[in-house]
């Protein structure tokens, strides 16, 4: 039998709230849940992400009311997009950059809204999709898209 994992205090508080008081105020509970599940934690950029991002061309563009941080590598005619997952950043998919560049691709990635160096406090899958669509409209269609999580 596996040892019982000790839950953090905040999880215990949230469990109590949603199983008791939250039932009395469902509208408030819904708003709180949406907020909790659409607010990514700020994570420190890992060393390997920092290294790969240093080699990129950095640019910011305005999409859907957000300042979106764009990163580019390579000079190829063909485009490959790398899309990070929840609480990630443009460097999260950096392991693909070297190989794709050697294969002649221009590699483009971005920090999603409320992630990395892009603006915003909340995000969701639909917003990521709108942002990505705007990036494709700006930079062109891809032959390769590699995505994580979303």
């Amino acid at each position: 039998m596996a040892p019982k994992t000790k839950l953090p205090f905040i999880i215990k508080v949230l469990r109590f709230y949603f199983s008791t008081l939250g039932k009395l105020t469902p509208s408030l509970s819904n708003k709180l849940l949406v907020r909790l599940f659409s607010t990514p934690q700020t994570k420190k950029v890992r060393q390997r992400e920092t290294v790969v991002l240093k080699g990129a061309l950095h640019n910011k563009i305005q999409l859907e009311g957000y300042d979106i941080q764009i990163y580019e590598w390579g000079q190829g005619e063909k485009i490959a997009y790398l899309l990070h997952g929840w609480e990630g950043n443009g460097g999260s998919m950096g392991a693909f950059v070297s190989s794709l560049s050697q294969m002649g691709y221009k590699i483009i990635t971005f920090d999603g809204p409320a992630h990395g160096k892009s603006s915003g406090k909340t995000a969701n899958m639909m917003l990521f999709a709108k942002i990505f669509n705007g990036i494709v409209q700006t930079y062109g269609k891809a032959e390769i898209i590699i995505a994580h999580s979303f």
Side-chain angles (χ1 to χ4, degrees):
M1 182 188 270
K4 196 170 186 178
T5 304
K6 186 175 179 183
L7 291 175
F9 179 71
I10 188 66
I11 300 297
K12 291 178 182 179
V13 170
L14 290 171
R15 275 188 173 180
F16 173 77
Y17 170 79
F18 288 111
S19 67
T20 57
L21 300 174
K23 291 179 181 178
L24 300 174
T25 58
S27 177
L28 180 61
S29 295
N30 288 341
K31 288 178 185 175
L32 180 58
L33 278 172
V34 167
R35 187 76 163 168
L36 282 170
F37 283 101
S38 62
T39 305
Q41 293 180 25
T42 302
K43 299 232 174 164
K44 185 178 178 187
V45 178
R46 295 174 283 204
Q47 176 66 26
R48 64 186 160 133
E49 295 165 343
T50 301
V51 169
V52 75
L53 292 175
K54 280 184 180 177
L57 173 66
H58 296 229
N59 189 22
K60 278 213 175 170
I61 62 173
Q62 182 90 28
L63 293 169
E64 300 291 326
Y66 294 86
D67 291 324
I68 302 297
Q69 180 65 53
I70 307 287
Y71 306 97
E72 298 177 52
W73 300 265
Q75 301 296 319
E77 296 284 321
K78 305 176 287 183
I79 296 175
Y81 288 111
L82 303 177
L83 284 67
H84 70 78
W86 190 251
E87 297 179 348
N89 63 69
S92 297
M93 304 291 281
F96 295 100
V97 170
S98 180
S99 296
L100 288 168
S101 184
Q102 290 172 12
M103 294 168 57
Y105 284 91
K106 178 178 193 168
I107 302 101
I108 300 169
T109 189
F110 63 99
D111 291 337
H115 289 75
K117 293 184 178 179
S118 291
S119 67
K121 299 218 183 285
T122 62
N124 59 57
M125 187 167 40
M126 297 308 294
L127 179 57
F128 260 74
K130 285 180 182 178
I131 297 296
F132 181 54
N133 184 52
I135 290 169
V136 171
Q137 297 299 318
T138 303
Y139 290 93
K141 293 184 180 180
E143 285 194 20
I144 295 177
I145 300 173
I146 302 173
H148 177 262
S149 180
F150 276 134

